[in-house]
Amino acid sequence: MTFTPMTRRTVLAGAAIAGALSQVHAVVAETKEVLTPVAASAEGLPRVKVTLVDPPFVHAHEQVATSGPKIVEFEMTIHEKKIVLDDDGTETFAFAFNGTVPGPLMVVHEGDYVELTLINPETNDLMHNIDFHASTGALGGGGLTQVNPGEKCVLRFKATKAGVFVYHCAPPGMVAWHVVSGMNGAIMVLPRDGLKDGKGNPLHYDRVYYVGEQDFYVPRDETGAFRKYDSPADAYDDTLKVMRTLTPTHIVFNGRVGALTGDSAMTAKVGETVLIVHSQANRDTRPHLIGGHGNFVWATGKFHNAPDTDQETWFIPGGTAGAALYTFEQPGIYAYVNHNLIEAFELGAAAHFKVEGDWNNDLMTQVLAPTAV
Amino acid sequence: MRVWVALAVLGFALAAGVGARLWFARPAPVPGPEVVRLEPMTFRHRLDGDWRRDGRPVDPPRAELRIPAPVWIMVRPVSVADYMACVDEGACGMPSGPRGADLPVTGVNWLDANAYATWLSRRTGQPWRLPTDVEWAQGAGDLFRDDALGIADDPANPAVRWIAEYEAEAARSRTRDRDIRPAGTLNRSGTGMRDIGGAVWEWTSTCLRQVDVDAQGRVLRERPNCGIYIAEGLHRAALTVFVRDPKSGGCSVGTPPDNLGFRLVREGV
């Protein structure tokens, strides 16, 4: 296929536009009667169309379903583009569902049908597909969604398992390369009656953030500087060599070192409950909120299991999404990290929460400021 | 040491005068770098250090200050080419920053900077050292950034100041120029000193001090920590002597300097 530099630049520019801020409708569980929990087929079900938003934000959704199963339509275009991983300008080629690393968090309810239109534009060079860990059959849909540049396809699957699940590209022979090029995201399948604490009591969140953790393997030149390449194909051999060392050069949240810090830090207020969905499609991770906790944690992300409570650090195996619910009790700046602190502070796996509100002296107080012994 | 310097000066005089440097095993003296003279004059300066009132962090006060004696300060930070001459003679550690000869040297720790000062003193016969915070600030003149937060600490809520600090850092990052520019090309202060506040922070000889003051601002106690020194740049940073690459500094929140370099001063005529 022909190389079209202008188009690529346009794609890059378009992807730089920040995603719209979308907060969640906190729908209170007034509706006790949940209609038709399971449909026998998708035939005749109502359809809704969702507009995805860029992580860490999540498209508007109901926490408790107020109607029966439906067909939820999504559309994602695949972007092949160069991204910058850190403030030193280290570059890599990313394959990005919907243009972002990670791809957007999709939200449906258990029993809904997910109907995805997957578009591989003519301007791309590679074949792609999608494997939903939440789906059943055909390699998670990977066998039915192989699209070449200039093609699109539509996959429908029934969301029969509740939880947060990874999705990722899985083209034959190149699965690992596509996944560590950022080509993964997550879907949240909520129980129709919402989240529970393991004792039958409902749990709600005021905000939800999606953190996609990604390990990158950027080749270096003889002097130790990170190499730059003209195309993904040029980078392939060298990148594979670094991948086979199992030693990432970068481990980041949401596509680059510092993507969720400073002006882009996640925010909350004292008293608000936040659901943090965290996925790692390739490698184990161990999230920790410095100065806070995981009040209710589904470390492996599946909502029909009782959540662990009062967690300090939770373990998410590679290829899994996890979810943690926390109600902030103190104002300040919190670091949310992969608590392998080398991965957090040397390689990039750290984000920040900026939390405003009143300080609680009962929870913590400085009895004696640092002074001479 | 004095004998050493005297010999070097003698060597320089001979080399310049009669071209008789072959008589000496010592390498050729290096020409002194371009400098500007800073005269003692009173100016208002935001003091360095961590200041606390009633145990809570506050902005350091501004004070009328005057350097005790005139100094000559380098117009430009020490360049890669300058510094590598010292490395080549085995007197300085290898820098970890980019190696373009005309770039300011970066990736050097406080000990490296002092090793270079010792080497340059030997080679020029002049007493070179790192500037103090006040000397650097006078040289930077109008380009010195007052890094006070201007936020009154809320005694009932320590998070107010943390969040203000965090937001100030985020704001600074927004317009931050992360490219290391060739030495001498970034900007020029009223004193003639160049390259202030870009992507390079510069080591000083000023130890990080902790100062406790009372409600009237009177100093109750002052303790210097001379394992940590002030580095000057877009904002003042306090860094441990052995750090070469502040980016992997390891604090959970906060924005470290981008790159570490230095310039020197010498006293006297």
Short mmCIF file of all heavy atoms in Angstrom, two decimals, chain A residues 87-88 261-263 265 331-333 345-346 352 354-355 357 359 369-372, chain B residues 52 55 156-159 162-163 166-167 170 174 178 221 247-248 250-253:
data_model
loop_
_atom_site.label_atom_id
_atom_site.label_comp_id
_atom_site.label_asym_id
_atom_site.label_seq_id
_atom_site.Cartn_x
_atom_site.Cartn_y
_atom_site.Cartn_z
N ASP A 87 9.05 12.79 28.69
CA ASP A 87 9.46 14.17 28.46
C ASP A 87 10.78 14.27 27.71
O ASP A 87 11.17 15.35 27.27
CB ASP A 87 9.56 14.93 29.79
CG ASP A 87 8.19 15.20 30.37
OD1 ASP A 87 7.21 15.20 29.59
OD2 ASP A 87 8.08 15.39 31.59
N ASP A 88 11.50 13.16 27.59
CA ASP A 88 12.74 13.17 26.79
C ASP A 88 12.44 13.03 25.30
O ASP A 88 13.36 13.06 24.48
CB ASP A 88 13.65 12.01 27.21
CG ASP A 88 14.19 12.21 28.61
OD1 ASP A 88 14.27 13.38 29.03
OD2 ASP A 88 14.51 11.22 29.27
N THR A 261 -0.90 13.09 35.60
CA THR A 261 -0.35 13.94 36.65
C THR A 261 -0.49 15.40 36.24
O THR A 261 -0.84 15.71 35.10
CB THR A 261 1.15 13.63 36.88
OG1 THR A 261 1.88 14.01 35.71
CG2 THR A 261 1.39 12.14 37.15
N GLY A 262 -0.16 16.28 37.17
CA GLY A 262 -0.20 17.72 36.88
C GLY A 262 -1.59 18.17 36.46
O GLY A 262 -2.58 17.85 37.13
N ASP A 263 -1.66 18.88 35.35
CA ASP A 263 -2.97 19.35 34.87
C ASP A 263 -3.91 18.19 34.56
O ASP A 263 -5.13 18.36 34.51
CB ASP A 263 -2.79 20.18 33.59
CG ASP A 263 -2.20 21.55 33.88
OD1 ASP A 263 -2.36 22.02 35.03
OD2 ASP A 263 -1.58 22.14 32.98
N ALA A 265 -4.00 15.34 36.31
CA ALA A 265 -4.23 14.49 37.49
C ALA A 265 -5.72 14.21 37.62
O ALA A 265 -6.56 15.05 37.28
CB ALA A 265 -3.71 15.18 38.75
N PRO A 331 -8.18 15.51 52.24
CA PRO A 331 -7.75 16.25 51.05
C PRO A 331 -6.26 16.06 50.82
O PRO A 331 -5.54 15.59 51.71
CB PRO A 331 -8.05 17.70 51.43
CG PRO A 331 -7.88 17.73 52.92
CD PRO A 331 -8.34 16.37 53.42
N GLY A 332 -5.80 16.44 49.64
CA GLY A 332 -4.36 16.41 49.35
C GLY A 332 -4.07 15.80 48.00
O GLY A 332 -4.97 15.57 47.18
N ILE A 333 -2.77 15.59 47.77
CA ILE A 333 -2.33 14.94 46.54
C ILE A 333 -2.01 13.50 46.87
O ILE A 333 -1.22 13.22 47.76
CB ILE A 333 -1.07 15.64 45.96
CG1 ILE A 333 -1.31 17.15 45.78
CG2 ILE A 333 -0.67 14.99 44.65
CD1 ILE A 333 -2.36 17.52 44.76
N PHE A 345 8.38 4.81 39.81
CA PHE A 345 9.12 6.08 39.81
C PHE A 345 10.29 6.10 38.85
O PHE A 345 10.77 7.16 38.49
CB PHE A 345 9.55 6.42 41.23
CG PHE A 345 8.38 6.63 42.15
CD1 PHE A 345 8.30 5.96 43.36
CD2 PHE A 345 7.35 7.46 41.78
CE1 PHE A 345 7.21 6.13 44.20
CE2 PHE A 345 6.25 7.65 42.61
CZ PHE A 345 6.18 6.98 43.83
N GLU A 346 10.79 4.95 38.43
CA GLU A 346 11.87 4.95 37.45
C GLU A 346 11.32 4.72 36.04
O GLU A 346 11.86 5.24 35.07
CB GLU A 346 12.91 3.88 37.79
CG GLU A 346 13.61 4.09 39.14
CD GLU A 346 14.42 5.38 39.18
OE1 GLU A 346 15.02 5.74 38.16
OE2 GLU A 346 14.44 6.04 40.25
N HIS A 352 -1.63 10.65 39.69
CA HIS A 352 -1.97 11.43 40.88
C HIS A 352 -3.47 11.69 40.96
O HIS A 352 -4.14 11.84 39.93
CB HIS A 352 -1.25 12.78 40.86
CG HIS A 352 0.24 12.68 40.93
ND1 HIS A 352 1.09 13.63 40.40
CD2 HIS A 352 1.05 11.74 41.48
CE1 HIS A 352 2.35 13.28 40.61
NE2 HIS A 352 2.35 12.12 41.25
N LYS A 354 -5.91 14.56 42.79
CA LYS A 354 -5.96 15.82 43.53
C LYS A 354 -7.32 15.87 44.21
O LYS A 354 -8.35 15.88 43.53
CB LYS A 354 -5.78 16.99 42.56
CG LYS A 354 -5.63 18.32 43.24
CD LYS A 354 -5.20 19.39 42.27
CE LYS A 354 -6.38 19.86 41.43
NZ LYS A 354 -5.98 20.93 40.49
N VAL A 355 -7.30 15.86 45.55
CA VAL A 355 -8.55 15.73 46.30
C VAL A 355 -8.73 16.96 47.18
O VAL A 355 -7.87 17.27 48.02
CB VAL A 355 -8.51 14.45 47.17
CG1 VAL A 355 -9.81 14.31 47.96
CG2 VAL A 355 -8.28 13.23 46.29
N GLY A 357 -11.03 19.31 49.94
CA GLY A 357 -11.99 19.14 51.03
C GLY A 357 -11.35 19.51 52.34
O GLY A 357 -10.27 20.07 52.38
N TRP A 359 -9.64 18.88 56.04
CA TRP A 359 -8.73 17.95 56.70
C TRP A 359 -9.38 17.38 57.95
O TRP A 359 -10.07 18.09 58.69
CB TRP A 359 -7.43 18.69 57.08
CG TRP A 359 -6.42 17.82 57.74
CD1 TRP A 359 -6.14 17.72 59.07
CD2 TRP A 359 -5.53 16.89 57.09
NE1 TRP A 359 -5.14 16.81 59.29
CE2 TRP A 359 -4.74 16.29 58.09
CE3 TRP A 359 -5.32 16.53 55.76
CZ2 TRP A 359 -3.76 15.33 57.80
CZ3 TRP A 359 -4.35 15.58 55.47
CH2 TRP A 359 -3.59 14.99 56.48
N ALA A 369 5.79 18.88 65.15
CA ALA A 369 6.48 19.12 63.89
C ALA A 369 7.95 18.78 64.06
O ALA A 369 8.46 18.81 65.18
CB ALA A 369 6.31 20.58 63.49
N PRO A 370 8.64 18.44 62.96
CA PRO A 370 10.06 18.10 63.08
C PRO A 370 10.81 19.18 63.87
O PRO A 370 10.68 20.36 63.58
CB PRO A 370 10.53 18.06 61.63
CG PRO A 370 9.32 17.69 60.87
CD PRO A 370 8.17 18.33 61.59
N THR A 371 11.53 18.74 64.87
CA THR A 371 12.22 19.67 65.75
C THR A 371 13.47 19.00 66.27
O THR A 371 13.66 17.80 66.05
CB THR A 371 11.27 20.08 66.91
OG1 THR A 371 11.89 21.10 67.66
CG2 THR A 371 10.94 18.92 67.81
N ALA A 372 14.32 19.75 66.94
CA ALA A 372 15.58 19.18 67.41
C ALA A 372 15.32 18.10 68.46
O ALA A 372 14.38 18.22 69.25
CB ALA A 372 16.45 20.27 68.01
N ARG B 52 9.68 27.23 58.16
CA ARG B 52 8.46 26.81 58.84
C ARG B 52 8.12 27.77 59.95
O ARG B 52 8.99 28.30 60.62
CB ARG B 52 8.66 25.40 59.44
CG ARG B 52 8.76 24.34 58.39
CD ARG B 52 8.84 22.98 59.03
NE ARG B 52 9.84 22.95 60.07
CZ ARG B 52 10.60 21.88 60.31
NH1 ARG B 52 10.45 20.79 59.61
NH2 ARG B 52 11.48 21.91 61.28
N GLY B 55 5.89 24.98 62.87
CA GLY B 55 6.00 23.63 62.33
C GLY B 55 5.38 23.46 60.96
O GLY B 55 5.42 22.39 60.39
N ALA B 156 -5.74 24.62 59.70
CA ALA B 156 -6.68 23.51 59.89
C ALA B 156 -6.58 22.49 58.76
O ALA B 156 -7.16 21.41 58.84
CB ALA B 156 -8.10 24.07 59.96
N ASN B 157 -5.85 22.82 57.69
CA ASN B 157 -5.87 21.94 56.53
C ASN B 157 -4.54 21.99 55.77
O ASN B 157 -4.36 22.80 54.87
CB ASN B 157 -7.04 22.32 55.60
CG ASN B 157 -7.24 21.29 54.50
OD1 ASN B 157 -6.38 20.42 54.29
ND2 ASN B 157 -8.36 21.39 53.82
N PRO B 158 -3.61 21.11 56.15
CA PRO B 158 -2.30 21.13 55.48
C PRO B 158 -2.39 20.86 53.98
O PRO B 158 -1.48 21.22 53.23
CB PRO B 158 -1.53 20.01 56.19
CG PRO B 158 -2.57 19.14 56.82
CD PRO B 158 -3.73 20.04 57.13
N ALA B 159 -3.47 20.24 53.54
CA ALA B 159 -3.60 19.90 52.12
C ALA B 159 -3.74 21.13 51.24
O ALA B 159 -3.45 21.08 50.05
CB ALA B 159 -4.80 18.97 51.91
N TRP B 162 -0.31 21.83 50.01
CA TRP B 162 0.14 20.75 49.11
C TRP B 162 -0.48 20.92 47.73
O TRP B 162 0.19 20.78 46.70
CB TRP B 162 -0.24 19.37 49.66
CG TRP B 162 0.28 19.07 51.03
CD1 TRP B 162 1.38 19.64 51.64
CD2 TRP B 162 -0.26 18.14 51.97
NE1 TRP B 162 1.53 19.11 52.89
CE2 TRP B 162 0.55 18.20 53.13
CE3 TRP B 162 -1.36 17.27 51.95
CZ2 TRP B 162 0.30 17.41 54.26
CZ3 TRP B 162 -1.60 16.49 53.06
CH2 TRP B 162 -0.78 16.56 54.19
N ILE B 163 -1.77 21.19 47.73
CA ILE B 163 -2.47 21.29 46.44
C ILE B 163 -1.99 22.53 45.69
O ILE B 163 -1.78 22.50 44.48
CB ILE B 163 -4.00 21.28 46.65
CG1 ILE B 163 -4.44 19.88 47.13
CG2 ILE B 163 -4.74 21.66 45.38
CD1 ILE B 163 -5.89 19.77 47.55
N TYR B 166 1.30 21.78 44.18
CA TYR B 166 1.12 20.87 43.05
C TYR B 166 0.60 21.63 41.83
O TYR B 166 1.08 21.43 40.71
CB TYR B 166 0.13 19.78 43.46
CG TYR B 166 0.02 18.66 42.46
CD1 TYR B 166 1.00 17.68 42.38
CD2 TYR B 166 -1.06 18.59 41.58
CE1 TYR B 166 0.91 16.66 41.46
CE2 TYR B 166 -1.16 17.57 40.66
CZ TYR B 166 -0.18 16.60 40.61
OH TYR B 166 -0.27 15.58 39.69
N GLU B 167 -0.35 22.53 42.07
CA GLU B 167 -0.90 23.30 40.94
C GLU B 167 0.13 24.25 40.36
O GLU B 167 0.17 24.46 39.15
CB GLU B 167 -2.18 24.02 41.38
CG GLU B 167 -3.33 23.03 41.53
CD GLU B 167 -4.60 23.65 42.09
OE1 GLU B 167 -4.54 24.78 42.62
OE2 GLU B 167 -5.66 22.98 42.00
N ALA B 170 2.33 22.19 38.18
CA ALA B 170 1.64 21.82 36.94
C ALA B 170 1.62 23.00 35.98
O ALA B 170 1.82 22.85 34.78
CB ALA B 170 0.22 21.36 37.25
N ARG B 174 3.47 23.43 32.09
CA ARG B 174 2.69 23.72 30.87
C ARG B 174 3.55 24.38 29.80
O ARG B 174 3.45 24.06 28.63
CB ARG B 174 1.54 24.65 31.26
CG ARG B 174 0.18 24.12 30.91
CD ARG B 174 -0.87 25.01 31.54
NE ARG B 174 -1.28 24.54 32.85
CZ ARG B 174 -1.73 25.33 33.83
NH1 ARG B 174 -1.81 26.64 33.66
NH2 ARG B 174 -2.10 24.81 34.97
N ARG B 178 11.78 21.97 27.19
CA ARG B 178 12.55 20.81 27.63
C ARG B 178 13.80 20.57 26.79
O ARG B 178 14.53 19.62 27.02
CB ARG B 178 11.66 19.57 27.64
CG ARG B 178 10.47 19.76 28.54
CD ARG B 178 9.87 18.46 28.98
NE ARG B 178 8.72 18.70 29.83
CZ ARG B 178 8.74 18.60 31.15
NH1 ARG B 178 9.85 18.27 31.76
NH2 ARG B 178 7.66 18.83 31.85
N ARG B 221 15.50 28.95 64.95
CA ARG B 221 16.47 27.87 64.81
C ARG B 221 16.78 27.72 63.34
O ARG B 221 15.90 27.85 62.49
CB ARG B 221 15.84 26.56 65.30
CG ARG B 221 16.83 25.48 65.67
CD ARG B 221 16.13 24.48 66.58
NE ARG B 221 15.05 23.83 65.88
CZ ARG B 221 15.15 22.62 65.34
NH1 ARG B 221 16.25 21.93 65.41
NH2 ARG B 221 14.12 22.07 64.72
N LYS B 247 15.44 13.45 37.01
CA LYS B 247 14.15 12.97 36.53
C LYS B 247 13.73 11.68 37.21
O LYS B 247 12.57 11.44 37.45
CB LYS B 247 14.19 12.75 35.02
CG LYS B 247 13.82 14.01 34.28
CD LYS B 247 14.15 13.89 32.82
CE LYS B 247 15.65 13.89 32.62
NZ LYS B 247 16.00 14.06 31.21
N SER B 248 14.72 10.83 37.50
CA SER B 248 14.37 9.61 38.21
C SER B 248 14.65 9.82 39.69
O SER B 248 15.32 9.05 40.33
CB SER B 248 15.16 8.43 37.67
OG SER B 248 16.54 8.69 37.75
N GLY B 250 12.50 10.08 42.36
CA GLY B 250 11.84 9.15 43.24
C GLY B 250 10.95 9.76 44.30
O GLY B 250 10.62 9.10 45.27
N CYS B 251 10.53 11.02 44.15
CA CYS B 251 9.50 11.50 45.06
C CYS B 251 8.15 11.15 44.44
O CYS B 251 8.02 11.16 43.22
CB CYS B 251 9.62 12.99 45.30
SG CYS B 251 9.73 13.96 43.80
N SER B 252 7.16 10.86 45.29
CA SER B 252 5.91 10.34 44.74
C SER B 252 5.13 11.43 44.03
O SER B 252 4.44 11.18 43.06
CB SER B 252 5.07 9.70 45.83
OG SER B 252 4.85 10.62 46.86
N VAL B 253 5.21 12.66 44.51
CA VAL B 253 4.56 13.75 43.80
C VAL B 253 5.56 14.88 43.67
O VAL B 253 6.51 14.99 44.43
CB VAL B 253 3.29 14.24 44.52
CG1 VAL B 253 2.23 13.17 44.52
CG2 VAL B 253 3.60 14.67 45.94
#
